[in-house]
Amino acid sequence: LLDKTKASKHTVLCIETNDGEVFGAFCSTPWRVQNQKKQWFGTGEAFLWRKKDSRSKHRTEHNYEEGDELNAMDQNNEMEVYPFTGADDMVQYCTPTTLAVGGGSWEDPLACPYLGEPTGIGLLVDGDLEGGETNSCATFANPRLYGRSTLSNEFTIRKMEVWTLTPCT
């Protein structure tokens, strides 16, 4: 993944979980492995996002069978966007085993607008690209992106895409 995206300044990370939830991140700094621990990079152009409704909700409403691809009936593509807050500089983090976006802690735990939500890394993808976790973080003032219907903040990846956006000159 890093070999394919390392030359791209702008990337869009899209994840669909086994539960049909869809979320991700836009990043405006090329992904690179950091040799030093906890060295964050990135700019304030980045943001986290999630689709408002689960894709499995649409499968249920329209009697889709598991494995069927959604078609034109999947009209609800509304997204929630969580822009950079400026609270810290913890935008992107990358090691050979972890890819992360957002990581700032709330200075005052009571300042978190999502009481009861786990806090930590906004979006973390494991090195095997099979799963990860999401938490509320001050960097983007986001709730966890996955787990609205469960207590877990860990997810299993069903599909993952990374789009690279290259300016045309």
Side-chain angles (χ1 to χ4, degrees), residues 7-23:
S8 299
K9 182 176 179 184
H10 298 97
T11 55
V12 179
L13 173 66
C14 304
I15 294 170
E16 180 180 1
T17 68
N18 284 346
D19 301 322
E21 293 193 39
V22 179
F23 52 86

Side-chain angles (χ1 to χ4, degrees), residues 57-129:
K57 176 180 177 186
H58 293 288
R59 281 188 188 95
T60 303
E61 288 174 354
H62 299 291
N63 296 321
Y64 285 100
E65 296 295 323
E66 185 61 37
D68 287 348
E69 292 301 317
L70 296 182
N71 59 25
M73 294 182 76
D74 185 18
Q75 297 293 322
N76 187 357
N77 288 318
E78 290 184 67
M79 292 174 40
E80 297 171 347
V81 175
Y82 304 97
F84 179 71
T85 63
D88 54 54
D89 60 356
M90 301 174 85
V91 179
Q92 291 172 251
Y93 176 73
C94 185
T95 71
T97 59
T98 303
L99 184 90
V101 182
S105 299
W106 299 94
E107 286 183 25
D108 175 5
L110 297 177
C112 176
Y114 312 103
L115 294 178
E117 289 278 318
T119 59
I121 303 285
L123 175 58
L124 181 138
V125 177
D126 297 331
D128 60 10
L129 305 179

Side-chain angles (χ1 to χ4, degrees), residues 38-56:
K38 299 293 181 186
Q39 186 173 355
W40 291 82
F41 58 95
T43 70
E45 294 176 318
F47 60 86
L48 293 174
W49 60 271
R50 72 177 176 186
K51 193 170 177 221
K52 278 191 175 185
D53 291 325
S54 166
R55 292 184 79 181
S56 39

